[in-house]
Amino acid sequence: MATTAPGGTLTAADGLTISRMGYGAMQLAGPGVFGPPRDRDQALAVLREAVGLGITHIDTSDYYGPTVVNEIIREALHPYPADLHIVTKVGARRGDDGDWIPSLEPAELTAQVHGNLQHLGLDVLDVVNLRLDSVEDPSKGSVAAAFGTLADLREEGLIRHLGLSNVTDAQLTEAQAIAPVVTVQNLYNLADRTDDALVDRCAAEGIAFASFFPLGGFSPLQSKTLNTVAARLDATPQQVALAWLLQRSTTTVLIPGTSSLTHLHENVAAAGLRLPADAVTELDAIGR
């Protein structure tokens, strides 16, 4: 059992303390994040190893599977260590063919919160992120009704902390007028720097910013730059991309997912990779 958290810890707004290197459980489901895993024993082993390596931040959702991943988390880790924080998401459901369907009505969100509680075996959810529409085109509409529903459930004692996923700057401001926001989870990486200003805002306000798809959207030229830097540092491109995110902001947290023990160890090792200034300069140019 590790005695320190990989990447150190972050105490975000509202007092939530998590390891900056987290673990994203999405890949523990079957192909397309749908159905059971090919190797359930391996999935259980990966979760237990993640906690053993000092990770105190697991990202999940009841719509992974659906319900499959949360049930595996419960089997692997319940009763949960006192310092382990499970961050879940609501706002979508799965069709019979695996489609991702927005599900943001108050009654739907309430049912999703209760489903997460049941399948994780919890009385209270540590963090619930409200997921807004598609990754490619975040909703520009109001979040008041949906986020207000989660805020009411927080007042009832079913949720400790609230966050947002796939959110715009304006939606974050609107949500903060309703209840504290401790996490933002958006698409952001070396190649896609659309949310640079939001990353900086989250750092200034003590909000944990969890980026997903750390290696998504690279052109061949961008990949060449990343590969060159990685080779020079005797690291993998994935490790360099993750290390860059950790150095990008003081409140960045990582949730790389894998169903492989080998890849889990490689990801955790990225938390100890310190990028020199010349490497950061090269990498920064990828997204410009």
Side-chain angles (χ1 to χ4, degrees):
M1 176 73 70
T3 57
T4 58
T9 59
L10 167 68
T11 299
D14 215 19
L16 173 70
T17 298
I18 54 177
S19 58
R20 293 190 69 200
M21 173 61 74
Y23 172 73
M26 182 174 72
Q27 292 188 31
L28 296 183
V33 199
F34 198 66
R38 293 187 177 94
D39 187 337
R40 190 180 184 90
D41 288 341
Q42 177 81 349
L44 296 169
V46 167
L47 283 163
R48 290 166 180 153
E49 183 68 2
V51 172
L53 291 171
I55 288 174
T56 64
H57 169 202
I58 292 178
D59 178 82
T60 186
S61 176
D62 222 28
Y63 53 69
Y64 293 161
T67 77
V68 169
V69 169
N70 279 352
E71 291 167 351
I72 291 173
I73 290 172
R74 179 177 183 173
E75 181 179 347
L77 302 175
H78 194 279
Y80 302 109
D83 62 347
L84 180 64
H85 298 283
I86 298 176
V87 180
T88 192
K89 291 178 290 297
V90 295
R93 61 184 176 84
R94 306 300 293 278
D96 292 339
D97 58 357
D99 280 354
W100 303 78
I101 303 168
S103 183
L104 293 162
E105 293 300 318
E108 294 172 333
L109 293 172
T110 300
Q112 291 168 53
V113 166
H114 283 280
N116 276 277
L117 287 166
Q118 175 186 347
H119 297 122
L120 287 168
L122 291 168
D123 296 321
V124 184
L125 296 173
D126 273 327
V127 186
V128 175
N129 286 328
L130 175 65
R131 179 190 188 273
L132 298 171
D133 291 339
S134 72
V135 171
E136 295 80 12
D137 183 21
S139 169
K140 302 303 189 292
S142 171
V143 301
F147 196 75
T149 297
L150 297 185
D152 289 343
L153 294 172
R154 177 174 175 264
E155 289 298 316
E156 291 178 24
L158 297 180
I159 303 170
R160 292 192 180 93
H161 306 280
L162 296 176
L164 295 160
S165 179
N166 206 36
V167 66
T168 65
D169 185 82
Q171 288 168 333
L172 172 57
T173 299
E174 183 184 25
Q176 287 176 314
I178 298 169
V181 176
V182 303
T183 63
V184 166
Q185 187 181 115
N186 273 22
L187 171 63
Y188 182 78
N189 57 40
L190 272 167
D192 191 331
R193 306 281 293 278
T194 305
D195 273 344
D196 265 336
L198 187 56
V199 170
D200 291 336
R201 174 182 173 180
C202 287
E205 298 182 13
I207 298 170
F209 187 97
S211 57
F212 52 81
F213 298 147
L215 278 178
F218 282 76
S219 71
L221 182 60
Q222 292 168 328
S223 296
K224 181 179 179 181
T225 299
L226 177 59
N227 291 340
T228 299
V229 171
R232 192 165 72 239
L233 298 177
D234 194 25
T236 68
Q238 172 85 351
Q239 287 173 324
V240 171
L242 293 174
W244 180 87
L245 285 166
L246 279 178
Q247 289 181 220
R248 168 63 181 84
S249 163
T250 57
T251 63
T252 298
V253 296
L254 305 180
I255 49 171
T258 180
S259 59
S260 160
L261 285 168
T262 299
H263 289 158
L264 173 66
H265 281 267
E266 289 178 356
N267 290 339
V268 170
L273 178 62
R274 189 69 186 173
L275 302 177
D278 61 335
V280 172
T281 299
E282 289 179 68
L283 295 168
D284 282 349
I286 286 177
R288 295 195 182 119

